[in-house]
Amino acid sequence: VCFSGTVIGVVIYTGKETRSVMNTSNPKNKVGLLDLELNQLTKALFLALVALSVVMVTLQGFVGPWYRNLFRFLLLFSYIIPISLRVNLDMGKAAYGWMIMKDDNIPGTVVRTSTIPEELGRLVYLLTDKTGTLTQNEMIFKRLHLGTVSYGTDTMDEIQSHIINSYSQVHSQNSGNSTSSTPSRKPQSSAPKVRKSVSSRIHEAVKAIALCHNVTPVYESRAGVSGETEYAEVDQDFSDENRTYQASSPDEVALVQWTESVGLTLVNRDLTSMQLKTPGGHILTYYILQIFPFTSESKRMGIIVRDESSGEITFYMKGADVAMSTIVQYNDWLEEECGNMAREGLRTLVVAKKSLTEEQYQDFESRYNQAKLSIHDRNLKVAAVVESLEREMELLCLTGVEDQLQADVRPTLEMLRNAGIKIWMLTGDKLETATCIAKSSHLVSRNQDIHIFRPVATRGEAHLELNAFRRKHDCALVISGDSLEVCLKYYEHEFVELACQCPAVVCCRCSPTQKAHIVKLLQHHTGKRTCAIGDGGNDVSMIQAADCGIGIEGKEGKQASLAADFSITQFKHIGRLLMVHGRNSYKRSAALGQFVMHRGLIISTMQAVFSSVFYFASVPLYQGFLMVGYATIYTMFPVFSLVLDQDVKPEMALLYPELYKDLTKGRSLSFKTFLIWVLISIYQGGILMYGALLLFESEFVHVVAISFTALILTELLMVALTIRTWHWLMVVAEFLSLGCYVASLAFLNEYFGIGRVSFGAFLDVAFITTVTFLWKVSAITVVSCLPLYILKYLKRKFSPPSYSKLTS
């Protein structure tokens, strides 16, 4: 097919080929660990059901159509399988979600899943993003160091006065036909040499910071002038209040905003020039001759500018200390001061300059253009030409910029560490910045050793570095994404085993897919529950891969928040989310799940005893309506009220995060606790049925009424025994259920005969009110419950749980 016309442009890498889509993975269906554990127990109960039915048929002697009796027994004992468990648990989870969203202490929290709130109480690994999650992604200029003198936030006014003085001096000299663009360096008798020297150094440093960057000032359109061009508006008013700065890095914006605050303002920039406004309102124009952008390999950026007024050509450069220390002239303070600033949690940049003559620049430009035209090894040749300039540069200053931590990050991380949660920071930032934030946020404690994993590219290097790391103990690990990839390729098991022993791990230069890969590695190798927290689109893969994903609504949009299971507004809210809501959700669901199983087991035990006594007859003990009522109106409200139970107050859970460690051991729901509940059910079911048969032998037609009444009372008392902290709704539920049962005795009296055999042996309402009925029912109930109350009291006295030691 032929097309005529001209191609204006070709659009490539769209749709499925965009980076964000290629980094995206399909979300998995998340299932909580508690649900998996309950599934295992339900399978065990199913086996018990089949075994019990086979035993009953065997004891019957396989007489007659035994397979028909087998199925009848399967149906009679089917209450062993907790059909209502799923309904109760799902309703409970909905209730936990509602409680989380209604918690005034963590406003704005959204629960986007109704399946895994219990996971919040079982976490062992927390994988967190850095920028926007631990930090606010807001840079603030904090420190300017000139070698002999350092300026902090409280002494910025001194810099401002120096700038005002130096530029007023420049313009007074210019007005006197002086062409110098820098303040005179000749000492005057009226001013001391030191003051003059410091003033000129500050002048040079601030000018370098104001010129060496990739920032563009932007002016918003105002009402009434929206039709004018941007340039017309800039010419109209340089000091416009609505000026904002745009740059690829927030660090650069912070530097330019700082130069504006001390008097040197960037008012305009295009491809070839930039204009600065002095404190006196004069406009200085500089032509941009060359610009060398920042790369992760070079770790520095440079710019060559020509001053319009004097024609001077200057090469300015700023970058990381590791890159700049070999470029600047020898000095004895740079390394030490960089270390001091890093310990304060500041991001450091070294600023330097080099004055060029016209001949030097022309020579450089011809070589630079020649290198850019090379066909082979172009990048290497261009870098070599630029490096020929980067020699013996004059060190101007060292700047310190702070990426402010989010509110209460330090105490929150401290709390999580005390709770036994291991924290891994996965970030796309460079190693120095990641290490710096890890220290300032106390992710890595101040007195803790840090092992910075040397960059490795081969199997041999990885082996040597792993051996070096293995010899260190209780040491935080910092590793880059490239080195991590090599280690996982050759020594996956050894590396993960060593990393999991670290108190903290920092992975820098991580891609989104690498973040998700690390999460899956931890899940596969440790079998522990993982939680991922982030705020941007690059964290979505990690959030979806983790057992529990938490998104923060930040400046990078709502991608992470919408993809997560839980959405919060600030990192500090994670403390309460895990310590309080995670704890309660897990403990309550564990109690609820086991109680629902107990409820089915006890009535199945009574059926088994009843059948055994009557020569293994497959006859139902209670009619259909009673069975339906037992699982719903008679016991549902008190059993479900367990979702309001709490073992410790929220304040106590936050004050003692060590309590959270117990939850990760899974002791609230295990085969041990399950077997205890099974034994309780068998004991109580046996007591209730045998008690009814023994005490009511003469009035056998009333056995059903009496045993059922004792069963309901036992269930209500067992709920009361299980509850640790009473809530007024629990009391209402107990009395409401009891009231419903008493009321139904009058209306459903025909159901209280023994099956269809004695249909017509209606319940005598007068008989229920007799003292004999009441004391015998009470006696059975007491025998079934009192020993359990005594055992619980003795256990709390001689082997109390950790939380009871704190609450007593």
Side-chain angles (χ1 to χ4, degrees):
V1 181
C2 293
F3 294 100
S4 60
T6 308
V7 175
I8 306 296
V10 180
V11 180
I12 59 171
Y13 297 122
T14 61
K16 291 182 179 180
E17 292 181 333
T18 56
R19 182 181 292 182
S20 59
V21 175
M22 289 170 79
N23 269 325
T24 305
S25 56
N26 290 324
K28 63 176 183 179
N29 289 325
K30 297 186 181 181
V31 181
L33 184 58
L34 185 104
D35 288 333
L36 297 174
E37 289 169 344
L38 285 170
N39 285 350
Q40 295 295 328
L41 299 181
T42 307
K43 288 172 188 173
L45 288 173
F46 175 74
L47 293 175
L49 164 66
V50 174
L52 182 60
S53 301
V54 169
V55 166
M56 295 300 277
V57 171
T58 306
L59 291 172
Q60 207 177 38
F62 292 101
V63 291
W66 61 269
Y67 49 86
R68 192 187 299 166
N69 288 337
L70 177 66
F71 279 103
R72 290 188 67 166
F73 277 123
L74 283 170
L75 290 172
L76 286 176
F77 300 141
S78 64
Y79 267 77
I80 289 177
I81 306 295
I83 306 294
S84 60
L85 176 61
R86 192 75 268 150
V87 178
N88 278 283
L89 274 182
D90 286 348
M91 284 172 63
K93 288 174 182 183
Y96 308 145
W98 183 82
M99 289 173 195
I100 292 170
M101 289 195 282
K102 289 294 177 184
D103 190 344
D104 294 332
N105 294 293
I106 47 172
T109 302
V110 180
V111 179
R112 301 192 190 279
T113 178
S114 60
T115 54
I116 55 167
E118 298 91 3
E119 290 293 272
L120 294 170
R122 310 288 296 278
L123 302 176
V124 178
Y125 289 97
L126 175 71
L127 300 103
T128 174
D129 179 39
K130 180 186 75 67
T131 309
T133 303
L134 296 180
T135 65
Q136 296 179 18
N137 206 10
E138 283 183 5
M139 309 297 172
I140 296 176
F141 192 94
K142 287 283 185 180
R143 187 69 55 84
L144 180 73
H145 206 292
L146 301 171
T148 54
V149 61
S150 174
Y151 293 95
T153 48
D154 51 343
T155 50
M156 291 300 176
D157 52 340
E158 288 184 36
I159 295 178
Q160 193 172 8
S161 62
H162 281 303
I163 294 295
I164 291 168
N165 291 338
S166 63
Y167 274 105
S168 62
Q169 198 173 1
V170 168
H171 292 299
S172 65
Q173 287 175 357
N174 286 347
S175 62
N177 296 325
S178 172
T179 56
S180 172
S181 65
T182 55
S184 171
R185 300 193 183 202
K186 293 177 183 176
Q188 296 176 354
S189 57
S190 59
K193 285 184 181 179
V194 176
R195 171 63 67 188
K196 191 68 184 170
S197 170
V198 169
S199 183
S200 69
R201 283 161 64 197
I202 289 173
H203 175 94
E204 283 298 332
V206 174
K207 186 167 78 169
I209 295 168
L211 289 171
C212 187
H213 53 70
N214 254 319
V215 180
T216 307
V218 176
Y219 296 85
E220 302 292 333
S221 297
R222 293 177 300 169
V225 291
S226 57
E228 297 179 28
T229 63
E230 188 178 326
Y231 289 106
E233 193 172 328
V234 171
D235 291 335
Q236 174 194 350
D237 183 12
F238 278 125
S239 61
D240 202 337
E241 292 297 322
N242 61 7
R243 181 194 302 111
T244 56
Y245 296 112
Q246 287 186 354
S248 59
S249 166
D251 299 66
E252 292 205 312
V253 174
L255 292 171
V256 174
Q257 284 176 336
W258 174 76
T259 63
E260 179 184 358
S261 71
V262 295
L264 198 57
T265 308
L266 176 70
V267 290
N268 186 27
R269 184 190 183 127
D270 53 35
L271 291 172
T272 56
S273 68
M274 67 176 90
Q275 292 177 312
L276 303 180
K277 187 171 71 174
T278 66
H282 298 92
I283 301 297
L284 306 175
T285 301
Y286 294 88
Y287 297 113
I288 300 170
L289 302 179
Q290 298 288 347
I291 190 158
F292 315 111
F294 177 90
T295 65
S296 56
E297 289 78 29
S298 68
K299 293 185 171 62
R300 56 191 181 270
M301 71 87 56
I303 190 169
I304 301 177
V305 294
R306 187 199 300 271
D307 189 339
E308 182 195 43
S309 59
S310 65
E312 285 185 355
I313 299 173
T314 313
F315 173 37
Y316 291 107
M317 179 163 274
K318 70 178 180 194
D321 56 305
V322 286
M324 297 292 289
S325 57
T326 55
I327 291 170
V328 297
Q329 293 168 352
Y330 173 77
N331 62 84
D332 57 0
W333 60 271
L334 181 62
E335 187 179 347
E336 183 184 349
E337 289 305 326
C338 279
N340 291 339
M341 284 196 192
R343 280 187 283 277
E344 290 179 43
L346 301 179
R347 298 152 71 100
T348 54
L349 279 175
V350 181
V351 184
K353 80 163 194 174
K354 187 177 192 177
S355 296
L356 303 175
T357 63
E358 189 68 42
E359 294 76 24
Q360 282 175 321
Y361 175 69
Q362 292 301 335
D363 172 55
F364 164 78
E365 189 178 37
S366 63
R367 289 187 292 120
Y368 187 64
N369 289 337
Q370 193 68 38
K372 286 202 289 187
L373 293 172
S374 300
I375 296 172
H376 301 293
D377 299 325
R378 182 185 305 147
N379 290 342
L380 288 173
K381 289 177 180 176
V382 168
V385 174
V386 175
E387 280 173 18
S388 69
L389 271 189
E390 299 169 348
R391 289 173 187 163
E392 290 297 301
M393 295 187 74
E394 179 190 344
L395 174 59
L396 295 177
C397 65
L398 176 65
T399 65
V401 173
E402 182 184 44
D403 183 1
Q404 285 193 310
L405 291 172
Q406 285 210 11
D408 295 332
V409 160
R410 287 170 185 155
T412 302
L413 288 174
E414 191 76 27
M415 179 196 293
L416 295 173
R417 204 165 37 241
N418 290 338
I421 295 172
K422 292 185 178 179
I423 302 158
W424 289 35
M425 186 168 85
L426 313 180
T427 175
D429 270 358
K430 56 182 184 284
L431 187 138
E432 294 85 5
T433 312
T435 310
C436 180
I437 292 297
K439 287 177 180 174
S440 62
S441 65
H442 296 180
L443 174 68
V444 177
S445 54
R446 289 188 182 278
N447 55 357
Q448 200 162 57
D449 289 335
I450 297 178
H451 178 81
I452 296 178
F453 210 86
R454 195 167 52 83
V456 295
T458 64
R459 182 172 187 167
E461 288 176 353
H463 182 69
L464 288 171
E465 193 60 22
L466 274 173
N467 283 342
F469 178 44
R470 188 180 276 112
R471 287 192 288 271
K472 297 190 176 181
H473 299 287
D474 194 39
C475 168
L477 172 66
V478 179
I479 187 170
S480 68
D482 297 338
S483 302
L484 180 71
E485 204 69 33
V486 175
C487 288
L488 294 178
K489 184 178 178 182
Y490 298 112
Y491 300 105
E492 182 180 295
H493 184 75
E494 292 89 337
F495 176 78
V496 176
E497 191 177 341
L498 285 170
C500 288
Q501 293 169 6
C502 294
V505 177
V506 177
C507 299
C508 51
R509 292 282 178 222
C510 273
S511 68
T513 36
Q514 263 185 325
K515 289 182 178 184
H517 184 49
I518 293 167
V519 172
K520 289 169 185 168
L521 265 177
L522 281 175
Q523 290 170 337
H524 175 68
H525 280 274
T526 65
K528 306 290 185 186
R529 308 313 273 180
T530 58
C531 174
I533 180 168
D535 72 313
N538 60 336
D539 303 313
V540 169
S541 300
M542 168 175 78
I543 285 169
Q544 289 179 341
D547 296 302
C548 177
I550 300 175
I552 295 178
E553 288 184 23
K555 293 184 176 178
E556 294 187 40
K558 288 194 172 187
Q559 276 179 290
S561 155
L562 293 170
D565 306 305
F566 301 90
S567 167
I568 57 178
T569 54
Q570 293 182 58
F571 182 82
K572 66 177 181 180
H573 292 168
I574 196 175
R576 188 175 178 89
L577 195 64
L578 302 191
M579 300 302 121
V580 177
H581 293 289
R583 177 186 190 82
N584 287 342
S585 298
Y586 170 57
K587 285 268 189 178
R588 289 163 174 174
S589 283
L592 181 63
Q594 292 179 120
F595 204 95
V596 171
M597 289 178 177
H598 155 79
R599 188 172 67 182
L601 274 167
I602 191 171
I603 202 163
S604 297
T605 306
M606 292 176 74
Q607 177 67 56
V609 172
F610 176 77
S611 294
S612 302
V613 169
F614 290 97
Y615 310 103
F616 309 106
S618 50
V619 177
L621 171 60
Y622 302 123
Q623 289 303 300
F625 197 91
L626 290 185
M627 298 298 278
V628 171
Y630 171 70
T632 55
I633 196 164
Y634 298 150
T635 60
M636 187 182 73
F637 299 120
V639 170
F640 187 70
S641 72
L642 290 171
V643 301
L644 300 169
D645 189 25
Q646 59 181 30
D647 54 351
V648 293
K649 288 187 169 65
E651 300 77 28
M652 197 67 71
L654 291 168
L655 188 60
Y656 298 102
E658 291 80 5
L659 290 172
Y660 189 89
K661 282 184 190 176
D662 289 344
L663 304 182
T664 56
K665 296 170 185 172
R667 289 176 177 169
S668 297
L669 176 67
S670 62
F671 268 103
K672 180 186 172 183
T673 59
F674 171 67
L675 286 172
I676 290 170
W677 275 106
V678 169
L679 292 173
I680 288 170
S681 305
I682 292 170
Y683 166 75
Q684 290 187 324
I687 290 293
L688 290 171
M689 201 65 235
Y690 274 120
L693 292 170
L694 284 171
L695 294 177
F696 291 90
E697 205 167 347
S698 56
E699 302 136 335
F700 190 66
V701 288
H702 300 303
V703 162
V704 170
I706 287 131
S707 64
F708 197 78
T709 305
L711 173 63
I712 297 297
L713 290 174
T714 298
E715 281 296 292
L716 298 180
L717 287 171
M718 284 302 291
V719 170
L721 177 67
T722 308
I723 287 167
R724 287 161 290 215
T725 307
W726 283 90
H727 187 282
W728 66 270
L729 281 173
M730 295 173 174
V731 181
V732 170
E734 290 266 324
F735 283 106
L736 181 65
S737 293
L738 188 61
C740 287
Y741 177 68
V742 171
S744 68
L745 284 175
F747 300 108
L748 303 173
N749 50 14
E750 70 224 47
Y751 283 96
F752 289 97
I754 33 172
R756 301 204 177 273
V757 180
S758 58
F759 193 80
F762 295 118
L763 180 69
D764 185 0
V765 179
F767 168 69
I768 298 175
T769 56
T770 60
V771 177
T772 310
F773 174 85
L774 294 174
W775 83 255
K776 288 186 176 180
V777 166
S778 303
I780 295 170
T781 309
V782 167
V783 173
S784 73
C785 292
L786 189 61
L788 299 176
Y789 271 86
I790 294 167
L791 286 171
K792 182 181 179 181
Y793 171 77
L794 292 173
K795 186 176 184 298
R796 281 187 71 93
K797 189 169 180 65
F798 295 111
S799 178
S802 53
Y803 61 84
S804 67
K805 296 170 188 173
L806 297 173
T807 53
S808 58

